[in-house]
Amino acid sequence: MLKQRELHETAELYELLRHPSVFPYVRQKAASAEEYLFMTKQLIEEEQNGQTISRTIVDEWGAPIGTISIFDIQDGAGFLGTWIGKPFQGVGYNQKAKLAFLNELFFDYDFHTVFLRVREENGRSQAAALKLPYVIDAELTNPLLFEEINQGATKFRLFKIPKDLFYLTTANTQEEAEEQAM
C-alpha cells in the first residue's frame, strides 16, 4: 500500500498528477515530468533532513497511484497532503493509505497531531476527510492556525487528527474485526 519514494516512479506519477481533477489540489505543481523528478529529489532530501515524510501509494500490483506526505513538521505535528490518480479515486485507496501512514506517523515517528488543510472549493477532499472517524474540525479548536492558513487569497477548511482519537477509533475497529473473524 505504501512505500518509500523512488525517483524511477516519477514519470508514472506525473502522468496521474497532471489530470485536471487532481492537479489543482496538489502541493507540488510540476509543469513537466522533469520538473516533477527534480521536486521529488528535493522531497527525498527534505525527508533525510527530517523536514517532511513522504510515501508513494501503490495498488495491489505495486504500481504507483499517488502520494501521501506530511509537510511543515513542527513539534510532533504537521500537515497531511494526499493525492491519488483519477482512475484510482473512489475505490478505497485513500482511506487505506491514510490509515497506514497515520499508524507510521503516530507510532513510529511519535507525532501527536496531524492537520489537514483542504481548499474550500475541494468538496471531494472535504467529504473524504469527514468520512474518517478520527478526523475532527479544527477551525474552532485551533483558531490561530486557521487564521494563519487563510491569510492568502485561497481559503481553506482545517481539520485535525489527534493521536489519542486515532488510536481509540482504530483500536476499536480492529477489535470489532477480530471479534467478527471468530
Side-chain angles (χ1 to χ4, degrees), residues 75-112:
D75 301 322
F79 284 89
L80 187 68
T82 307
W83 67 267
I84 293 178
K86 179 68 174 161
F88 306 97
Q89 293 176 3
V91 291
Y93 288 112
N94 187 14
Q95 205 163 5
K96 289 177 188 174
K98 278 187 174 67
L99 184 64
F101 193 59
L102 291 168
N103 267 303
E104 183 178 351
L105 294 176
F106 289 135
F107 303 113
D108 294 346
Y109 289 95
D110 205 29
F111 275 71
H112 59 78

Side-chain angles (χ1 to χ4, degrees), residues 3 20 22 35 73 96 102 105 107-108 112 135 138 142 148 159 175:
K3 63 184 228 30
V22 176
E35 186 179 6
I73 297 172
K96 289 177 188 174
L102 291 168
L105 294 176
F107 303 113
D108 294 346
H112 59 78
V135 170
N142 298 78
E148 182 183 325
F159 303 97
E175 226 173 75

